[in-house]
Amino acid sequence: MTLAPETTTLRIQLRPATPTTSAVSSSAVDDDWFAVCDLSMLIPGRGVAALLPDGRQAALFLDRAGRMYAIDNRDPFSGAAVLSRGLTGTHQGRPFVASPLLKQRFDLESGRCLDDDSVTVTTYEVRAR
Amino acid sequence: MSTTAPVGTGPRPTIVLVGHGMVGQRFLEALAERGLTATHRVVVLCEEPRPAYDRVQLTSYFAGRTPEELSVTDMEFIAEHGIELHIGDPAETVDRAARTVTARSGLTVGYDTLVLATGSFPFVPPVPGKDAEGCFVYRTIEDLLAIEEYAKARATTGAVVGGGLLGLEAAGALKGLGLTTHIVEFAPRLMPVQVDEGGGAALLRTIENMGLTVHTGTGTQEVVTGDDGAVTGMKLSDGSTVATDLVVFSAGVRPRDQLARDCGLTVGERGGISVDDQCRTVSDPQVFAIGECALASDGRVYGLVAPGYEMAETAAATIATVAATETDGVDGAAFTGADLSTKLKLLGVDVASFGDAHGAADDCLDVVYSDSRSGTYKKLVIGRNGELLGGILVGDADAYGTLRAFTGSVPPIAPEQLVLPAGAGAPVQLGPSSLPDEAIICSCHNVTKGAIRGAVTDHACTTVPEVKKCTKAGTGCGSCVKVLGQLVTSELEASGVEVDKGLCGCFPQTREELYEIVLALRIASYQQLLDRYGRDSARGGDGCEVCKPTVGSIIASLAPTIGAEGYVLDGEQAALQDTNDHFLANLQRNGSYSIVPRIPGGEITPEKLIVIGEVARDFGLYTKITGGQRIDMFGARVEQLPLIWARLVDAGFESGHAYGKSLRTVKSCVGQTWCRYGVQDSVRMAIDLELRYRGLRSPHKLKSAVSGCARECAEAQSKDFGIIATANGWNLYVGGNGGATPRHADLLAQDLSDAELIRLIDRFLMFYIRTADRLERTSTWLERIPGGLDHIRDVVVEDSLGICEELESLMTAHVAAYRDEWAETINDPEKLSRFVSFVNAPDTPDPVVGFVPERDQIKPDLPLLTIGTRPLEGSAQR
Ligand SMILES: Cc1cc2nc3c(=O)[nH]c(=O)nc-3n(C[C@H](O)[C@H](O)[C@H](O)COP(=O)(O)OP(=O)(O)OC[C@H]3O[C@@H](n4cnc5c(N)ncnc54)[C@H](O)[C@@H]3O)c2cc1C
Ligand code: SF4
């Protein structure tokens, strides 16, 4: 590790947003967070993809105000893992990303597709520490 | 041979139409609209080898409209209504006693009603040599095909006999075919019927400036031929001679009334089948005559399509009334004469005349504006009580639609203000809102302002295309479309429909307005623009997927001028780009990318071809030749892009911008260097243009091509800007498109030198970038902006807005600032760090991207895309 300013050493961590029924891990336990990368890797308004231990992929975003979001990286309409490469924006005060393939938009907080009510993608909680 | 029972053809009476021209087809439609095709058997005898086509737009064949595109006959319509259409089988005799018509094939058909719509034939003055090889007329598609073939094979000079409307069109066509062109007109001025002396003088100047030679006040005495019997020149009545290889006679038309004469129908002294107000022949109530072959009850033969349409409607209405009421139908529809208003574009010059253009009424007065510098001439004829009676417009006919609609009434503003050019003390713009409801807006289809308003208010039409469909307005000669657009907008606004022209939910401005803001205030930051000019609700937010790339593109287009970073991945700009621009490659359906190196003009050395082959082989890419004369390599993963490009850049390739809304390729044919027909070096020009405009960000992609001669092997007329070589330089076409809505490009300027060509393209592209909407190709832009091609020509050729210098300097700045995006990227470790599938596992490829073999190459492994997309069941493990 090189010597870097302190802020860049902040690590981004993820965990599934919905507490699951799994007995071994509960949301109260701190160690179900998965560290992904340094905060400095994110550009406001763009996403990156992260590979999770179970083989899933998460798309991680930073907005202009410094808030972070993470949803599943797979675009449910095409099956391709590309949501991290979409353009983000604000719709009626809520953050979204538009798929780069066929442009459907997904709410970054709820995972709900804004253009098709029946579709939702998984969301993750994000924190930096 | 078949024969149908004559006289009283049974339960389904028979209507026979002779002549399937524009008016004949309109008559069939009018029959169908009135349900007569259901109650009657309809038989059509068509002389020409193809069903009715748009004769008015005939000349557009030389601008690339194919005969099929010129057709006005919907074969489904013919079939659906059970119309028996006999193509290439003219009527030869009519037996009125037996009520039968016999065609050339021997077919004899009995009729209850016979309708003659045989049109006209071109009049050829009886001069010696008129039938020599190389003499033509200008009436049918076949005539044009013959002229084209002859011109290309064996002519360099052409002469048109007749300087009227059609003569000038024919002259324009000859010039377009690359011939040195002469016009010989017997009258002392051009277009003697439509314009007066002043108008003729303005027209003459403009046409001579285009390089045509006009001989007025002199007739053709003899066509001179050479030893092989082909035309070599003409002797004129003033004693002079004109050397020419080809002669087109366009000395007026005569009604085709021979068939009528032969069966004893009355014809006029100077020709034309005499008809009454119902378009019924005066000799036989069972026979009608409509269109150019008819001598109307006002004693005139109408050589225009709109009166012909009116006759078609009248005849159909009369037949319907007779069928329904068993009366003579006299009380119903009538044709008693028509307006001869015309607006034309001849050789690129607007010419319009309407109403009493020559001031024939008693006590009328003229208001004249004439500017010989610009070749503009406008005359209004004003009646005793101040009412507008008619007028002539040459050079600038923008006001035609409005003025014609005011004809017969007292205009709400002083007449002189109606003819002064904008900005010359003409503060008042006469909008269509000041027109009365009964004013005719579309004279081809007789549509009033009231009907158009009704389409908006009662039929909920909100766009011009919808109104066109609903009312037919604007679907004839098209001269009213501009007024139509203004009317629709003002009507929508009046009915309270808020037309939000904003770019998206974030910006209330149009793309054009944002461009102006960015340029004027030198704003190089998207966030700054959003926070200052965005909608209140959007300020401080993250924008959206519509405005981010749009603003990104504007900033990139203007980068050198406004002091922004030119490179699309720099700074804040990185977050604005679509994924394609972000990764400088084209995203494909499985998340992999394709790569297109620039191959300017499609010219490539064997060494470079080998490099592409090796790179594709080494990285296992699928290769395909594109339509733009380059090579596309598919199947690269994000993390492979820099490695592939390192090899390509090393071999001298640069980004082809296939991913950007920017210049794609300039295609070319081999041109003069190799091709025996070529007249210029099209490859060199294509390379020069491609290198000049590479990397230029624009509202949509830009395509171009250069052909080495008029054979057009590079298909330049389907491009945003296309160039065709001529013996004297280059012709520039703009606004072409392939794809889902093909459009042939329009000729913007001819015979340009290299420098003139480049200057004009610079201006054209920058004007497009400045004023187009987001994702609006040049073809739609050109059709949308008010004034269309004329306006664009005014701005970029005549510099009517005084902005050409600025447009040129913007382009100069772009050219000077160009850098290869890929060369910059592979030399910048920071930027390279983005090219990974996973931020936390840079060396791991995306498992969803996989390939399977097909035809010796790869294709995406689609089943991979469906694996593992179930919702999350267990929690993520550490
Ligand atoms: C180059 C050009 C440009 C023009 N520009 C304009 C313009 O800008 N505005 C305008 O208003 N008008 C214009 N006109 C005139 C316009 O085209 C005519 O007014 C219109 O076509 C008349 O229609 P029609 O059906 O009466 O005749 P046509 O279109 O001539 O149709 C008559 C048809 O009948 C056929 N026919 C003749 N005899 C027989 C027979 N015995 N049996 C079977 N078929 C027969 C002919 O072959 C022909 O196909 C232009 C004409 C030309 C040539
Ligand atoms: S356009 Fe002309 S010069 Fe070019 S290849 Fe075709 S024929 Fe030859």
Side-chain angles (χ1 to χ4, degrees), chain B residues 542-566:
Chain B
D542 279 83
C544 75
E545 80 285 9
V546 172
C547 58
K548 285 204 307 200
T550 304
V551 172
S553 156
I554 293 175
I555 292 176
S557 307
L558 292 173
T561 306
I562 61 175
E565 298 277 5

Side-chain angles (χ1 to χ4, degrees), chain B residues 770-829:
Chain B
R770 179 176 208 139
T771 56
D773 277 341
R774 131 183 205 271
L775 300 187
E776 185 175 47
R777 290 292 293 271
T778 56
S779 55
T780 18
W781 169 69
L782 200 146
E783 295 201 336
R784 173 186 59 88
I785 66 165
L789 180 69
D790 289 343
H791 177 61
I792 291 169
R793 189 181 284 119
D794 283 350
V795 173
V796 304
V797 182
E798 312 294 340
D799 198 9
S800 62
L801 299 180
I803 57 169
C804 285
E805 206 181 308
E806 184 182 2
L807 297 177
E808 285 173 35
S809 75
L810 286 171
M811 189 62 87
T812 310
H814 160 78
V815 174
Y818 169 82
R819 289 171 292 166
D820 174 28
E821 290 159 7
W822 264 113
E824 300 227 327
T825 304
I826 56 175
N827 290 317
D828 183 338

Side-chain angles (χ1 to χ4, degrees), chain A residues 25 31 33 36 44 46 49-51 53 56-57 63-64 74 78-81 85 87-90 96 100-101 105, chain B residues 527 531 540-543 545 548 574-575 577-579 582 591 593 638 837-840 846 865 867 869 872 875 877-878:
Chain A
S25 68
D31 64 357
W33 288 92
V36 173
R46 280 233 94 93
L51 187 62
R56 291 168 182 287
Q57 304 184 20
D63 76 6
R64 170 178 176 188
R74 295 286 286 271
S78 64
R85 301 180 210 159
L87 280 167
T88 61
T90 312
F96 72 87
L101 277 168
R105 294 165 303 162
Chain B
Q527 289 181 4
D531 293 351
D542 279 83
E545 80 285 9
K548 285 204 307 200
Q577 312 301 337
D578 270 323
T579 181
H582 191 61
Y593 287 84
V638 186
S837 287
F838 299 111
V839 64
N840 60 338
D846 178 355
L865 298 177
I867 297 172
T869 48
L872 190 62
S875 64
Q877 289 163 17
R878 298 209 54 185

Side-chain angles (χ1 to χ4, degrees), chain B residues 285-306:
Chain B
Q286 247 57 51
V287 184
F288 291 73
I290 56 177
E292 285 196 340
C293 65
L295 176 65
S297 61
D298 65 349
R300 298 166 80 163
V301 172
Y302 288 91
L304 293 172
V305 74

Side-chain angles (χ1 to χ4, degrees), chain B residues 683-717:
Chain B
V683 179
R684 181 194 49 80
M685 181 52 78
I687 294 174
D688 287 355
L689 294 177
E690 186 158 344
L691 296 183
R692 183 169 182 81
Y693 303 118
R694 63 186 164 183
L696 178 68
R697 290 311 200 266
S698 55
H700 210 312
K701 60 189 168 195
L702 287 167
K703 296 184 175 181
S704 178
V706 184
S707 281
C709 81
R711 284 171 184 76
E712 245 285 66
C713 296
E715 299 168 333
Q717 289 169 95

